[in-house]
Amino acid sequence: MSKKIASARITETSSQLLQELNNSLPFDKVLYREDIEGSRAHAFMLSEQGIISKDDYEKIENGLVEIYEEIESGKFKLDGDDEDIHMAIEVRLTEKIGDAGKRLHTARSRNDQVALDFRLFVQKNSQVIANLLLQNIETLIKVANKNITTLLPGMTHLQHAQPINFGYHMMAYASMFKRDYERFISSYERNNYSPIGCAALAGTPHTINRQTTSERLGFKEPTLNCLDTVSDRDFGLEILFNISTMMMHMSRLSEELILWSASEFRFITLSDKHATGSSIMPQKKNPDIPELLRGKTGRVNGNLISLLTVMKGLPLAYNKDMQEDKEGVFDSVKTALLSLQVLNEMIDEMQVNSENMEKACMIGHLSATDLADYLVKNVGIPFRDAYHITGNVVNVAETKGLDISELTLDDLQSVDARIDEGVVALLDNRASMNARQSEGGTSTIRTQEQIEKLTLWVASQR
Ligand code: ARG
């Protein structure tokens, strides 16, 4: 039990239980890089402003660099009973350089310090996640490119609906990841303001220069209002929401990979690297990896709801409740980084079983809409009538045990004599897929166009 350096009016040493509840060092120690980076910028500014001497600044600067190396090399373990990472580093600095170390905290509070460290962490990781998203988009584009003519039953309600191509399906996920990427980038821009120099809540009487620290730390400019800044965790909520949305997309893709791996589908085969066996059933190959990605989505959603709940109802400005902001964010970031890397590898290495996809297109009369559309466009039959005629054609096919694309002109005309020769070729599934040439549609040409556009966009982001 230690007498805390940040407890001027607390005379008794704190109880073990208090420390267990209160100390955040066990988890906020991961912020040591950001804490040291922030302190170096703050000390530089203090010396530039003449608030501390050049001599003290040099001691602080060298001391902080040494502490950084001590932590990196494992010499300074960050497992003491200091309250948090900020105190641990300040205590170590003062041990090393004496009084100069005690001057570092001039014109700053742990409230703006933690707001800075945490924000730096979120900003850095938003960029790393965004880059991994770009990589995943490229991989999806690569798979799409190889499969622009691979027929796949497009579904609604998980029922066969219309023929599409597998590349088009992959491009749907690439489009989701593009939005996710943009969300991380826009959050980065929105939150790119420096909190340091706000002190406890109201600013400081010292003649600091927040522009200096902001610039040195790579922010756009200092935040506007100190009271807001020390109590703002929107940036943490944004990264949590962005991760949740991204993981929700990943979970939907995972769900399809799981389904497609099932014997009933066999549309894809995951590489052995991304599947596991069963402890009792020797024949099993289980899609554990996409299952875990789907499962991890629950966990990141929990982190988002936790922080939203912590923040609701907090009066201005800093409250210790806010110490609960970090673990969920650390956990979601770690989950996102790992999941994105695994997904990328899995998509890159999965085998696409195009024959099975094409075979499945012969179930469910996928081109039925094409017959109705033809009757409207070429024979002048009102859509609702054409819809019913097509329904009857489907019944004929069912009775014969055939797919609509396998019917002869005679079969079709047995339902309605107005049906002419021209439609027969259109009922072929590939023709049906290629008929959807409207912008954003599934035809091979339009899919190719989407691939080209997204490829250009990826290049513009690099
Ligand atoms: N460990 C604290 C946190 O994570 C740092 C800020 C403490 N500020 C204070 N006034 N007690 O939020």
Side-chain angles (χ1 to χ4, degrees):
M1 269 186 268
S2 63
K3 174 83 177 71
K4 300 279 173 295
I5 62 162
S7 305
R9 59 149 297 170
I10 310 292
T11 51
E12 280 186 70
T13 50
S14 41
S15 83
Q16 191 62 44
L17 284 174
L18 177 141
Q19 288 190 40
E20 243 182 89
L21 183 68
N22 191 45
N23 289 11
S24 53
L25 183 62
F27 54 86
D28 68 16
K29 62 183 173 192
V30 303
L31 292 176
Y32 72 88
R33 287 187 202 85
E34 289 77 12
D35 198 72
I36 290 174
E37 196 186 340
S39 289
R40 289 176 67 188
H42 181 67
F44 174 83
M45 181 279 292
L46 290 178
S47 103
E48 273 227 322
Q49 296 299 110
I51 298 169
I52 61 172
S53 68
K54 290 269 172 279
D55 188 43
D56 280 344
Y57 167 61
E58 262 154 41
K59 284 186 190 144
I60 293 172
E61 166 67 13
N62 295 335
L64 286 171
V65 170
E66 276 174 38
I67 292 173
Y68 181 81
E69 279 153 15
E70 287 173 8
I71 298 172
E72 292 270 293
S73 68
K75 200 176 138 206
F76 179 23
K77 293 221 178 327
L78 295 172
D79 56 2
D81 58 5
D82 301 291
E83 198 177 317
D84 53 30
I85 184 64
H86 324 295
M87 297 322 306
I89 291 176
E90 190 184 323
V91 169
R92 179 78 191 116
L93 184 67
T94 305
E95 263 170 33
K96 289 171 79 81
I97 64 169
D99 275 357
K102 296 186 198 162
R103 293 191 209 281
L104 171 62
H105 210 56
T106 314
R108 143 179 120 167
S109 150
R110 268 185 303 163
N111 298 349
D112 56 341
Q113 194 179 355
V114 72
L116 170 67
D117 295 2
F118 193 31
R119 194 181 293 229
L120 285 172
F121 176 89
V122 166
Q123 293 292 83
K124 269 184 217 166
N125 281 289
S126 294
Q127 285 180 315
V128 180
I129 293 174
N131 281 328
L132 284 172
L133 274 165
L134 280 188
Q135 203 188 347
N136 272 273
I137 293 170
E138 281 177 325
T139 303
L140 286 165
I141 290 177
K142 190 170 108 188
V143 176
N145 224 340
K146 287 189 201 146
N147 289 287
I148 49 177
T149 59
T150 308
L151 284 181
L152 172 79
M155 307 214 193
T156 62
H157 311 270
L158 203 60
Q159 303 290 320
H160 287 200
Q162 291 176 351
I164 59 175
N165 70 70
F166 187 63
Y168 182 65
H169 201 108
M170 291 294 99
M171 289 305 287
Y173 283 104
S175 308
M176 295 179 218
F177 283 159
K178 172 178 185 274
R179 286 197 299 279
D180 292 332
Y181 172 89
E182 288 166 338
R183 225 173 266 119
F184 282 100
I185 298 298
S186 77
S187 292
Y188 178 92
E189 298 297 336
R190 187 166 30 261
N191 294 303
N192 203 21
Y193 296 90
S194 171
I196 195 70
C198 279
L201 71 162
T204 169
H206 293 285
T207 52
I208 60 168
N209 187 340
R210 292 185 62 205
Q211 298 289 342
T212 307
T213 36
S214 170
E215 245 168 63
R216 267 183 107 75
L217 293 166
F219 289 108
K220 192 163 168 243
E221 55 182 79
T223 56
L224 183 71
N225 174 287
C226 293
L227 188 60
D228 169 44
T229 302
V230 289
S231 65
D232 168 29
R233 291 297 180 270
D234 291 2
F235 56 95
L237 287 166
E238 283 193 40
I239 197 171
L240 288 174
F241 174 78
N242 295 345
I243 290 173
S244 277
T245 307
M246 176 194 88
M247 290 295 293
M248 174 271 288
H249 293 148
M250 204 187 286
S251 177
R252 294 180 71 176
L253 175 52
S254 298
E255 166 68 13
E256 302 215 269
L257 296 178
I258 294 162
L259 274 176
W260 292 340
S261 305
S263 319
E264 286 73 12
F265 287 84
R266 290 250 185 274
F267 286 179
I268 59 153
T269 308
L270 290 176
S271 111
D272 278 0
K273 271 196 227 163
H274 304 112
T276 54
S278 153
S279 62
I280 178 170
M281 297 168 282
Q283 83 286 11
K284 290 272 281 182
K285 178 171 167 183
N286 294 328
D288 293 36
I289 297 303
E291 288 170 292
L292 278 166
L293 297 181
R294 190 176 58 183
K296 300 257 179 219
T297 309
R299 154 190 200 125
V300 299
N301 288 354
N303 291 333
L304 170 62
I305 297 300
S306 292
L307 186 55
L308 281 169
T309 313
V310 166
M311 294 307 292
K312 81 171 270 296
L314 289 187
L316 297 181
Y318 178 83
N319 300 269
K320 196 63 176 257
D321 314 47
M322 288 162 70
Q323 183 167 282
E324 290 295 311
D325 58 359
K326 281 174 275 299
E327 285 162 290
V329 169
F330 295 159
D331 181 69
S332 283
V333 165
K334 191 171 153 203
T335 304
L337 295 177
L338 183 60
S339 301
L340 281 165
Q341 292 174 74
V342 170
L343 182 73
N344 190 59
E345 203 180 272
M346 189 167 61
I347 297 291
D348 198 31
E349 293 180 26
M350 75 184 178
Q351 179 191 311
V352 177
N353 303 326
S354 44
E355 331 76 62
N356 293 343
M357 293 184 186
E358 305 220 356
K359 232 185 279 163
C361 288
M362 295 306 281
I363 306 166
H365 316 286
L366 295 182
S367 56
T369 319
D370 296 78
L371 174 56
D373 285 338
Y374 180 86
L375 295 178
V376 171
K377 260 185 11 192
N378 298 63
V379 191
I381 299 177
F383 178 76
R384 196 47 70 202
D385 293 340
Y387 170 91
H388 286 297
I389 294 168
T390 306
N392 291 336
V393 169
V394 167
N395 286 337
V396 169
E398 287 280 307
T399 320
K400 296 195 151 200
L402 295 173
D403 183 69
I404 194 170
S405 61
E406 296 170 302
L407 293 179
T408 62
L409 183 60
D410 283 349
D411 295 329
L412 297 169
Q413 286 179 336
S414 74
V415 174
D416 194 301
R418 289 172 295 175
I419 302 178
D420 60 42
E421 172 102 55
V423 76
V424 180
L426 300 186
L427 295 185
D428 169 67
N429 281 323
R430 190 169 304 282
S432 166
M433 183 269 284
N434 278 319
R436 282 162 178 73
Q437 291 200 24
S438 54
E439 186 169 355
T442 188
S443 66
T444 291
I445 287 176
R446 285 297 194 177
T447 303
Q448 232 164 357
E449 181 183 76
Q450 293 157 39
I451 290 173
E452 278 159 25
K453 276 192 185 168
L454 202 62
T455 305
L456 281 176
W457 175 84
V458 171
S460 75
Q461 301 304 308
R462 289 267 184 221

